[in-house]
Amino acid sequence: MARVQFRSPSTGRNVRAVLFDTFGTVVDWRSGIAAAVADYAARHQLEVDAVAFADRWRARYQPSMDAILSGTREFVTLDILHRENLDFALRESGIDPSDHDAGELDELARAWHVLTPWPDSVLGLTALKAEYIIGPLSNGNTSLLLDMAKNAGIPWDVIIGSDINRKYKPDPEAYLQTAQFLGLHPGEVMLAAAHNDDLEAAHAAGLATAFILRPVEHGPHQTDDLAPTGSWDISATDITHLAAQLGEGSTGFR
């Protein structure tokens, strides 16, 4: 597949597909959601700290999946969870969602569909696309990821949303079924992510791994995921750096 194939030290196989965590790794969710919240608050004359609200909304992301991961709730899409979590964040902010038009809140929740990529993302993904299969390996549903890609110019080869395999990360099947859909051995698939816990789960499932540094995903005072915490195959400062290392067959920060 690639002219200069990268052989994963951890799997012993040549990488054929590089798949990406999306929220935080490819797109800047915090700025985009804060801007959407600020616009909504201004139109409705609400006194809301938009950045704090974005953090509060995002903080419900993983907890809202716990019931699905544990099997106590049937699978629902991330769009549904985002909408439910919006109501939760509103109540936490002292705002009763029933006082607001449900359709307008639905539209606000769609802000997750139109997030802006980090400055290096499209350039780096375009470089990778020439040699590797690229796509998201995200908890986002297919329509969400498709809208995001069309809005932001993200050049995916393939989009396999969580609604296709009906599994959320870090369930091992979220990683393994995606590789299966591509007709690849798990060791031929690399997950690139800014989150060490995601990489831990992918590694445990037999995928190759790459850490992407996103030091301000959670703002200027971020304390987590500022360095790789595992023996990932590659550690990169951004996606263009990842593309360069995959092209050269090298590993590590430079």
Side-chain angles (χ1 to χ4, degrees):
M1 176 63 65
R3 288 192 294 270
V4 179
Q5 290 187 319
F6 178 88
R7 181 174 289 273
S8 162
S10 65
T11 72
R13 292 178 176 265
N14 288 341
V15 171
R16 296 181 57 196
V18 185
L19 306 183
F20 287 79
D21 169 72
T22 303
F23 299 106
T25 301
V26 177
V27 297
D28 175 8
W29 61 264
R30 192 171 190 255
S31 297
I33 295 303
V37 170
D39 177 70
Y40 184 88
R43 286 188 287 108
H44 292 273
Q45 298 181 324
L46 299 173
E47 291 190 9
V48 173
D49 182 329
V51 174
F53 190 99
D55 289 338
R56 195 173 296 123
W57 195 355
R58 176 66 175 181
R60 290 292 305 164
Y61 176 81
Q62 195 63 50
S64 69
M65 295 177 189
D66 286 346
I68 297 169
L69 288 164
S70 68
T72 59
R73 181 181 185 182
E74 291 292 322
F75 180 88
V76 297
T77 67
L78 188 59
D79 272 342
I80 291 173
L81 295 180
H82 276 153
R83 181 63 180 84
E84 293 174 353
N85 295 342
L86 172 57
D87 282 356
F88 187 95
L90 286 166
R91 293 189 185 98
E92 276 196 327
S93 303
I95 301 167
D96 186 346
S98 66
D99 291 337
H100 292 256
D101 180 78
E104 288 195 64
L105 293 179
D106 291 345
E107 188 60 31
L108 175 56
R110 287 186 62 81
W112 293 95
H113 286 233
V114 290
L115 299 174
T116 301
W118 297 107
D120 59 275
S121 291
V122 173
L123 181 63
L125 291 169
T126 301
L128 282 167
K129 183 182 175 73
E131 307 295 342
Y132 296 91
I133 299 164
I134 62 168
L137 205 172
S138 168
N139 285 331
N141 44 282
T142 303
S143 61
L144 185 162
L145 296 169
L146 177 60
D147 287 347
M148 183 189 297
K150 294 294 285 184
N151 177 72
I154 299 171
W156 299 133
D157 289 310
V158 61
I159 296 174
I160 301 171
S162 60
D163 53 320
I164 294 177
N165 57 36
R166 299 181 69 81
K167 299 291 182 181
Y168 281 126
K169 300 184 293 181
D171 187 320
E173 289 301 314
Y175 307 95
L176 294 173
Q177 287 187 23
T178 300
Q180 184 178 12
F181 287 141
L182 294 174
L184 299 176
H185 186 281
E188 295 175 317
V189 176
M190 171 176 280
L191 175 70
H195 312 121
N196 284 287
D197 56 356
D198 198 357
L199 295 174
E200 288 170 9
H203 175 74
L207 274 64
T209 50
F211 176 78
I212 307 292
L213 178 63
R214 295 299 187 198
V216 294
E217 176 192 354
H218 296 280
H221 305 297
Q222 180 171 321
T223 58
D224 293 331
D225 293 318
L226 296 177
T229 59
S231 299
W232 316 134
D233 292 307
I234 289 179
S235 293
T237 53
D238 59 23
I239 297 178
T240 55
H241 187 208
L242 172 64
Q245 291 188 69
L246 283 170
E248 296 168 4
S250 60
T251 60
F253 283 126
R254 294 186 177 179

